[in-house]
Amino acid sequence: MKKLGEQVMRIVFFAAACASILAVVLICVFLFANGLPAIAEIGVFDFLLGQKWKPSNDIYGILPMILGSIYVTAGAVIVGVPIGILTAIFMAKFCPKGLYRFLKPATELLAGIPSVVYGFFGLVVIVPIIGRFNDGNGSSILAASLLLGIMILPTIIGVSESAIRAVPESYYEGGRALGASHERSVFFATLPAASSGILAAVVLGIGRAIGETMAVIMVAGNHARMPAGILKGIRTLTANIVMEMGYAADLHREALIATGVVLFVFILMINLLFSVLKRRVN
Amino acid sequence: MGGERINKRGLRQRAKEYAASPLSLFLLLLVIAGAVVTLSVLIFLIVYILIKGIPYITPDLFALEYNSENVSLFPAMVNTVTMTMLALVIAAPLGIFSAIYLTEYAKRGSRVVELIRLTTETLSGIPSIVYGLFGMLFFVTALRWGYSMLAGALTLSIMILPLIMRTTEEALKAVPDSYREGSFGLGAGKLRTVFRIVLPSAVPGILAGIILATGRIVGETAALMYTAGTVADIPDSVMDSGRTLAVHMYALSNEGLHVGQAYATAVVLLVIVIAINWVSSFLAGRIAKGR
């Protein structure tokens, strides 16, 4: 009898562990089954490379949104990566212990703030400031990049910091023994050794930025047109789904789901890159 | 002690060193500037929202019923609590059981385990809007539940599953093997060892993970808009639509009519998130001390 209980629970644990496999399979099946037919109907090239998105005329080209997501993400990387890596270096190698006890929870809090709150902050602070220099129109690629740059900071700081800490202390000591200053040893001995871990942090940050939805919607303007400059508005893939899903029907709805499929494929590629990099670190 | 004093450099000595090597000074300033920017962005955001929002926190805002005049956030708060409970009731047992399987039962390097790890990693990278799309296609449309709290909760429970799994696994791994060996040595079976010995000593770590997951549920918007819907009242059952605080806040700022109330909602959300983070790091700190 006792043996039986053990066996049953073992199977229960195993079944629970398989839930994540089931979830991934279901997500893939439902997204692809609902999205791919629309892509086939619109035509792969017309869908991915079409420059016009006009659902009322049955024209579904998502190139503006793909470019929008890429531009905004690139902007976020330019803003967030240098600040994030520098903060990580500070926390790992320069920070006094007392300050660290305050700084570490602060970066964790930065990760915990909801994206609507970030979006609202962007809407009432960043957008008006940019608007002042741009004829009152502040919803732009620049606003979205700045906001996303802030939002990916905790991801980049967390992963880079542990990458820097994972470098053996002997690298740093070797630098000091050869007469290099503390800063030079950290930057030119420790940091290069942590480079693939830091690269993994950047890739993870890119994934966060490209998938961010609510904050971007609130500051990016959301016009479905080709990007025309960093002070002009843009619509991202994620924004496209949320903006129109509420009232879309038929092919329009399927085209939005297909937008989700394109986003999903982007994310899968980024995830793959991340796990390859992480494996290289280990 | 003596060695430390010799190694300590005076301010003047440091200044001399930096004068000799401007690059070092530049790098030092750069690193400090990075940390200052990060910290000041966080402080500015919190202080700005608190200062702008607190004046708008009025008794009206917590009226029992929502209408367009009082814009009460009370129903949204109740919905947030319900949503959190529902999602955790589903995800916490699943996540904890999977972690138990991975740490206590699975053979290292087996094919299934690798597949489970791969899928968990994939799940944790999927953005919330994709979860929202899936929830809409599966729970709302295919299962014909319509916009409902349950559809939202199930969507969120998949989303937080990898987080709970990872934190529980870390907590279980931190339990010393001697505990297990002691239990086996006294004649206890595997199951009894897991439930009576290993799990109780991992409780703070598991709780810290669950609290972090609560934070993600409270802040989630994109995954809920098209699964739980945006009705601003307390639903009669879990099969009805209802919006959480974060969705409520997005709706307010999107309509643009009640910016003051949006600020106030942001304050409430921030306070909840700060409290959650504080409790979670307090628990994590207790684990670190216990070791």
Side-chain angles (χ1 to χ4, degrees):
Chain A
M1 214 43 216
K2 221 174 184 179
K3 265 273 160 68
L4 189 69
E6 298 264 342
Q7 281 302 321
V8 169
M9 281 316 281
R10 193 197 158 88
I11 292 168
V12 169
F13 291 145
F14 179 69
C18 290
S20 61
I21 302 177
L22 180 72
V24 170
V25 170
L26 275 177
I27 290 173
C28 288
V29 167
F30 270 82
L31 275 184
F32 287 114
N34 284 283
L36 291 183
I39 298 182
E41 192 175 332
I42 298 162
V44 177
F45 287 103
D46 286 344
F47 183 68
L48 290 178
L49 299 177
Q51 300 194 2
K52 281 205 177 104
W53 174 267
K54 281 186 178 155
S56 48
N57 300 353
D58 264 352
I59 302 174
Y60 303 101
I62 60 163
L63 188 62
M65 278 69 97
I66 293 178
L67 288 179
S69 281
I70 291 174
Y71 281 26
V72 165
T73 305
V77 167
I78 292 171
V79 174
V81 166
I83 299 175
I85 293 177
L86 286 173
T87 308
I89 297 170
F90 180 80
M91 286 173 69
K93 293 290 176 189
F94 288 82
C95 193
K97 248 195 183 143
L99 185 60
Y100 187 81
R101 229 178 281 150
F102 174 68
L103 205 54
K104 185 72 187 169
T107 59
E108 280 164 7
L109 182 60
L110 213 50
I113 294 176
S115 49
V116 256
V117 175
Y118 276 114
F120 188 67
F121 176 75
L123 189 69
V124 295
V125 175
I126 297 176
V127 169
I129 292 176
I130 294 174
R132 203 172 297 164
F133 302 102
N134 191 33
D135 305 329
N137 181 19
S139 300
S140 55
I141 296 182
L142 182 61
S145 301
L146 284 173
L147 190 61
L148 281 177
I150 297 172
M151 291 180 74
I152 62 172
L153 275 180
T155 309
I156 294 185
I157 293 172
V159 181
S160 310
E161 193 202 334
S162 47
I164 294 169
R165 283 190 191 278
V167 175
E169 197 66 2
S170 56
Y171 285 49
Y172 169 78
E173 284 161 1
R176 289 308 297 257
L178 290 171
S181 68
H182 174 64
E183 291 80 10
R184 281 175 187 253
S185 306
V186 169
F187 271 84
F188 302 117
T190 306
L191 210 53
S195 60
S196 45
I198 292 175
L199 202 60
V202 174
V203 171
L204 200 63
I206 290 174
R208 285 284 134 83
I210 215 166
E212 180 48 49
T213 314
M214 304 322 284
V216 174
I217 289 182
M218 291 163 91
V219 298
N222 302 321
H223 307 291
R225 56 154 191 240
M226 296 295 281
I230 61 164
L231 289 173
K232 294 281 173 11
I234 195 70
R235 180 185 286 190
T236 61
L237 289 168
T238 52
N240 197 35
I241 302 168
V242 172
M243 300 289 298
E244 295 182 4
M245 190 53 98
Y247 58 86
D250 304 329
L251 186 61
H252 183 194
R253 187 183 133 99
E254 281 169 36
L256 292 178
I257 296 165
T259 312
V261 171
V262 173
L263 176 69
F264 188 53
V265 171
F266 267 119
I267 292 289
L268 287 183
M269 290 193 303
I270 290 169
N271 274 0
L272 194 70
L273 190 61
F274 175 69
S275 51
V276 167
L277 280 170
K278 221 172 70 178
R279 219 141 279 167
R280 230 174 60 188
V281 176
N282 295 339
Chain B
M1 280 311 274
E4 261 171 44
R5 190 168 298 161
I6 291 170
N7 280 330
K8 213 155 207 173
R9 294 164 302 159
L11 214 61
R12 193 177 294 167
Q13 202 180 348
R14 275 202 204 183
K16 228 187 202 168
E17 279 173 23
Y18 283 125
S21 165
L23 178 66
S24 295
L25 182 63
F26 174 70
L27 292 176
L28 177 72
L29 293 177
L30 210 60
V31 165
I32 291 175
V36 167
V37 168
T38 304
L39 200 57
S40 43
V41 162
L42 175 70
I43 293 172
F44 178 64
L45 188 148
I46 293 175
V47 170
Y48 186 88
I49 287 190
L50 286 184
I51 287 178
K52 287 274 198 168
I54 286 176
Y56 289 101
I57 294 187
T58 56
D60 250 15
L61 211 58
F62 297 93
L64 289 183
E65 296 261 334
Y66 171 93
N67 58 46
S68 53
E69 231 164 87
N70 63 19
V71 209
S72 169
L73 56 76
F74 181 76
M77 252 168 115
V78 175
N79 290 345
T80 308
V81 174
T82 319
M83 186 66 82
T84 308
M85 293 292 178
L86 277 174
L88 284 181
V89 161
I90 301 159
L94 265 184
I96 293 173
F97 280 8
S98 331
I100 290 176
Y101 180 77
L102 288 177
T103 48
E104 308 291 327
Y105 286 88
K107 286 190 197 78
R108 221 151 270 167
S110 91
R111 278 277 168 83
V112 188
V113 172
E114 259 171 46
L115 189 63
I116 293 170
R117 292 210 186 281
L118 184 74
T119 49
T120 337
E121 251 174 54
T122 312
L123 279 182
S124 65
I126 293 178
S128 51
I129 180 64
V130 173
Y131 282 111
L133 265 186
F134 165 72
M136 187 194 77
L137 292 172
F138 185 60
F139 300 118
V140 175
T141 312
L143 298 183
R144 294 168 194 271
W145 289 356
Y147 290 161
S148 59
M149 296 289 281
L150 191 61
L154 278 164
T155 310
L156 289 187
S157 63
I158 302 173
M159 196 178 90
I160 59 172
L161 187 63
L163 180 64
I164 294 185
M165 274 175 76
R166 204 190 60 233
T167 46
T168 308
E169 219 188 312
E170 273 163 23
L172 291 177
K173 271 188 193 153
V175 176
D177 269 340
S178 55
Y179 284 31
R180 298 183 181 88
E181 286 154 9
S183 172
F184 289 141
L186 290 170
K190 181 124 195 168
L191 200 59
R192 188 177 284 247
T193 306
V194 167
F195 276 108
R196 289 289 172 81
I197 307 293
V198 180
L199 266 186
S201 24
V203 161
I206 297 173
L207 268 186
I210 288 180
I211 291 166
L212 271 186
T214 308
R216 285 206 53 192
I217 297 170
V218 169
E220 189 48 59
T221 319
L224 287 176
M225 282 183 72
Y226 298 114
T227 53
T230 51
V231 173
D233 289 314
I234 301 174
D236 297 327
S237 77
V238 290
M239 298 312 288
D240 287 323
S241 163
R243 68 189 191 198
T244 62
L245 265 183
V247 180
H248 178 71
M249 187 187 158
Y250 174 71
L252 287 187
S253 84
N254 201 26
E255 289 158 7
L257 298 171
H258 305 285
V259 177
Q261 281 81 353
Y263 271 115
T265 316
V267 171
V268 175
L269 271 175
L270 265 185
V271 169
I272 296 175
V273 165
I274 290 172
I276 283 174
N277 265 56
W278 187 77
V279 173
S280 166
S281 66
F282 171 76
L283 282 172
R286 252 185 50 180
I287 310 165
K289 245 182 232 160
R291 215 170 285 161

